[in-house]
């Protein structure tokens, strides 16, 4: 097991384009780190530089305290699981898992022990004599993971390993990967563009944008205390709503009415002109279902519902609104960058499944104004982020991870 340190890592191609631009990131021994972002953000390039498949233009890659910039991939003792499985079709499952041990001239008895242990962990015993062509996608991915496990590597590297699987199988494999990492307590770096994987798997998540780190934090901190518009728009499904707002007294005037701010938030936006208010869909409720004791803690407004979607356990209401042209342009630009078509001049409101709100009618909504974020549309900065609260969320997640790693290694011994 080993820590991974990246110090001012830069990757430039022949045309001078920086695919990775001055990235510094410390991954602790036993930590599960997620690299996430839209296509072209540099996450796979960064992973390939860790394993040695891409040269580093400048900066230092340190694994287990040793600088490895000039080491070949085979000398870094890392195990990588690829998107396309990379199995040998002519070899059995047993021999595919055993392949890295054969290359190291490992004795047959030791090969058999390690393959058997990996098969136990991944529930592959009954498939050991089969060929990859006779396996399902999930089984093939488990074989690829088994090949990584037997190497006794210092770290696991996953490059979008679930993107070829259907939705149901992805959910099952997410659980297996999380359970495996917790059981082994091994340092893991996992690349994905799927925010669901990022939020459910990682101890911490590194959000990348055009080769630059935007925020590194626990999943909960990313969700509750995003550092800027990009992170706020990328994390969350449905995404955060962004409404134009102007400062008035100790609050904000929005297309849905006035939002009162607490003293800390009001001070942060003092003197600003046009702003963007960030509101998660679940911060809204059907006003008729809100407890009377809770109503004073938020704002009530009336709006016409354009479309509703009933999902059984919940439902969404879509509420269009008017916005200045500069806000429209900002949301379109952000949507293109996030590969999303949902950041438009409409609010997505999550309401209880029992709500009788119907499309094409006016309805009253309650908004929990204690949770709203306010962004500068020019810089994208979250003006109301509570850095101390965010740091506490990540600290708690780190303590949990350290305890889990220690338990895993104690059990292994």
């Amino acid at each position: 097991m080993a820590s991974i340190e990246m110090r001012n890592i830069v990757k430039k191609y022949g045309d001078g384009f920086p695919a990775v631009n001055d990235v510094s990131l410390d991954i602790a021994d036993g930590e599960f780190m997620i690299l996430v972002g839209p296509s072209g953000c540099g996450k796979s390039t960064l992973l390939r530089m860790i394993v040695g498949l891409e040269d580093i233009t400048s900066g230092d890659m340190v694994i287990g305290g040793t600088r490895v910039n000039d080491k070949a991939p085979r000398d870094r003792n890392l195990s990588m699981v690829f998107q396309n499985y990379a199995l040998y079709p002519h070899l059995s499952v047993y021999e595919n898992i055993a392949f890295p041990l054969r290359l190291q001239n490992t004795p047959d008895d030791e090969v058999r022990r390690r393959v058997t242990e990996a098969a136990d962990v991944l529930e592959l015993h009954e498939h050991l004599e089969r060929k990859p062509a006779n396996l399902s996608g999930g089984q093939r991915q488990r074989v690829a993971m088994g090949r990584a496990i037997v190497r006794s590597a210092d770290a696991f590297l996953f490059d979008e390993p679930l993107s070829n699987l259907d939705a149901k199988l992805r959910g099952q494999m997410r659980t297996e990967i999380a359970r495996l990492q917790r059981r082994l307590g091994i340092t893991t770096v996992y690349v994905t563009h799927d925010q669901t994987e990022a939020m459910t798997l990682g101890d911490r998540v590194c959000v990348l944008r055009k080769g630059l780190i935007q925020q590194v934090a626990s999943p909960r901190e990313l969700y509750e205390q995003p550092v800027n518009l990009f992170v706020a728009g990328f994390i969350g499904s449905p995404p955060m709503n962004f409404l134009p707002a102007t400062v008035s007294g100790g609050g904000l005037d929005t297309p849905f009415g006035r939002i009162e701010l607490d003293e800390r938030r009001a001070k942060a936006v003092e003197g600003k002109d046009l702003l963007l208010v960030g509101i998660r869909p679940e911060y809204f409720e059907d006003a008729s279902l809100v407890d009377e004791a809770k109503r004073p803690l938020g704002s009530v407004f009336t709006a016409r519902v354009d479309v509703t979607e009933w999902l059984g356990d919940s439902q969404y209401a879509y509420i269009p609104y008017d916005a200045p042209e500069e806000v429209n342009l900002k949301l379109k630009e952000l949507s293109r960058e996030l590969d999303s078509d949902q950041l438009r001049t409409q609010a997505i409101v999550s309401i209880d499944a029992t709500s009788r709100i119907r499309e094409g009618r006016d309805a009253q909504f309650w908004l929990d104004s204690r949770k709203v974020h306010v962004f500068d549309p020019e810089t994208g900065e979250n003006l109301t982020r509570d850095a101390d609260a965010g740091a506490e969320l990540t600290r708690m997640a780190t303590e949990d991870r350290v305890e889990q790693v220690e338990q895993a290694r104690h059990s292994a011994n």
Side-chain angles (χ1 to χ4, degrees):
M1 322 292 183
S3 61
I4 299 174
E5 302 168 50
M6 297 172 233
R7 301 171 182 167
N8 307 107
I9 295 293
V10 174
K11 174 62 181 181
K12 291 184 178 180
Y13 291 105
D15 59 0
F17 177 77
V20 174
N21 194 357
D22 196 27
V23 165
S24 294
L25 180 65
D26 290 341
I27 303 171
D29 184 12
E31 184 174 14
F32 199 138
M33 174 65 75
I34 305 289
L35 305 180
V36 70
S39 298
C41 70
K43 55 189 182 296
S44 290
T45 301
L46 191 58
L47 190 77
R48 291 169 66 84
M49 285 194 287
I50 295 174
V51 78
L53 298 177
E54 290 276 2
D55 293 330
I56 298 172
T57 304
S58 64
D60 295 317
M61 184 71 67
V62 179
I63 300 175
T66 302
R67 185 177 183 273
V68 299
N69 290 43
D70 301 320
K71 284 191 175 186
R74 65 177 177 273
D75 298 323
R76 299 191 185 193
N77 194 31
L78 303 173
S79 285
M80 190 160 180
V81 178
F82 296 91
Q83 177 180 345
N84 62 357
Y85 318 134
L87 302 178
Y88 297 101
H90 63 290
L91 297 180
S92 67
V93 168
Y94 182 98
E95 288 301 330
N96 264 286
I97 296 175
F99 189 80
L101 302 178
R102 302 292 191 202
L103 290 180
Q104 298 171 353
N105 296 316
T106 305
D108 287 344
D109 288 347
E110 180 66 10
V111 170
R112 188 177 302 108
R113 183 185 68 80
R114 292 199 199 177
V115 172
T116 300
E117 287 180 354
D120 284 340
V121 171
L122 298 168
E123 299 180 0
L124 286 171
H125 264 300
E126 62 185 54
H127 306 295
L128 289 177
E129 301 307 317
R130 301 174 71 185
K131 299 290 179 64
N134 299 321
L135 302 176
S136 68
Q139 290 166 342
R140 292 177 194 176
Q141 195 57 276
R142 289 207 299 270
V143 175
M145 290 165 59
R147 188 172 53 193
I149 292 172
V150 297
R151 286 194 56 193
S152 299
D154 289 331
F156 289 161
L157 308 179
F158 290 88
D159 189 8
E160 302 198 42
L162 308 184
S163 59
N164 288 338
L165 305 180
D166 61 51
K168 182 178 180 180
L169 199 49
R170 279 202 302 273
Q172 294 173 351
M173 289 302 298
R174 274 203 312 270
T175 303
E176 290 191 24
I177 290 173
R179 185 179 293 120
L180 175 66
Q181 199 274 341
R182 295 291 184 266
R183 176 172 176 178
L184 299 178
I186 190 169
T187 308
T188 301
V189 185
Y190 188 107
V191 162
T192 182
H193 65 274
D194 185 331
Q195 60 160 295
T196 301
E197 292 178 22
M199 297 295 281
T200 56
L201 286 173
D203 296 316
R204 286 191 300 156
V205 180
C206 173
V207 182
L208 290 161
R209 176 190 192 187
K210 296 180 179 178
L212 294 167
I213 291 179
Q214 300 299 295
Q215 188 172 1
V216 182
S218 67
R220 186 166 180 177
E221 180 181 352
L222 286 180
Y223 192 84
E224 295 184 3
Q225 300 293 335
V227 72
N228 58 27
L229 269 173
F230 180 86
V231 176
F234 187 80
I235 299 296
S237 182
M240 182 179 284
N241 299 297
F242 297 113
L243 278 65
T246 54
V247 180
S248 172
L252 300 169
D253 292 327
T254 77
F256 294 160
R258 183 170 176 80
I259 298 176
E260 297 293 341
L261 299 176
D262 57 37
E263 185 178 348
R264 181 184 68 83
R265 286 181 169 85
K267 186 176 181 180
V269 303
E270 194 174 20
K272 301 291 183 179
D273 294 320
L274 181 63
L275 298 169
L276 284 176
V277 180
I279 309 172
R280 296 283 182 197
E282 64 271 21
Y283 296 168
F284 294 94
E285 291 185 37
D286 179 343
S288 67
L289 302 179
V290 176
D291 187 270
E292 287 300 322
K294 186 178 177 182
R295 289 174 75 93
L297 301 176
S299 306
V300 176
F301 64 91
T302 301
R304 177 159 292 246
V305 176
D306 185 32
V307 175
T308 59
E309 293 178 339
W310 188 76
L311 304 176
D313 60 340
S314 64
Q315 59 181 317
Y316 294 116
Y318 292 78
I319 308 171
Y321 60 85
D322 294 324
E325 185 59 24
E326 57 263 45
V327 171
N328 285 326
L329 292 174
K330 186 67 178 179
L331 293 181
K332 288 178 181 178
E333 177 189 344
L334 188 59
S335 292
R336 285 194 298 269
E337 197 170 351
L338 296 174
D339 298 328
S340 170
D341 62 353
Q342 291 188 293
L343 297 183
R344 294 176 287 176
T345 52
Q346 66 173 359
I348 305 175
V349 175
S350 177
I351 51 180
D352 193 272
T354 61
S355 171
R356 308 312 295 175
I357 287 175
R358 292 295 178 263
E359 58 189 48
R361 300 179 185 177
D362 288 344
Q364 278 200 327
F365 296 92
W366 179 85
L367 168 64
D368 190 344
S369 53
R370 299 168 298 173
K371 297 181 178 179
V372 301
H373 298 279
V374 185
F375 300 89
D376 185 324
E378 295 299 321
T379 65
E381 178 189 1
N382 185 349
L383 301 173
T384 54
R385 177 173 180 263
D386 189 339
D388 291 337
E392 177 65 12
L393 291 173
T394 293
R395 183 191 65 78
M396 292 169 60
T398 300
E399 289 181 352
D400 289 343
R401 186 261 307 165
V402 170
E403 182 179 350
Q404 289 169 345
V405 170
E406 290 178 350
Q407 289 176 349
R409 292 179 180 173
H410 177 73
S411 298
N413 294 329

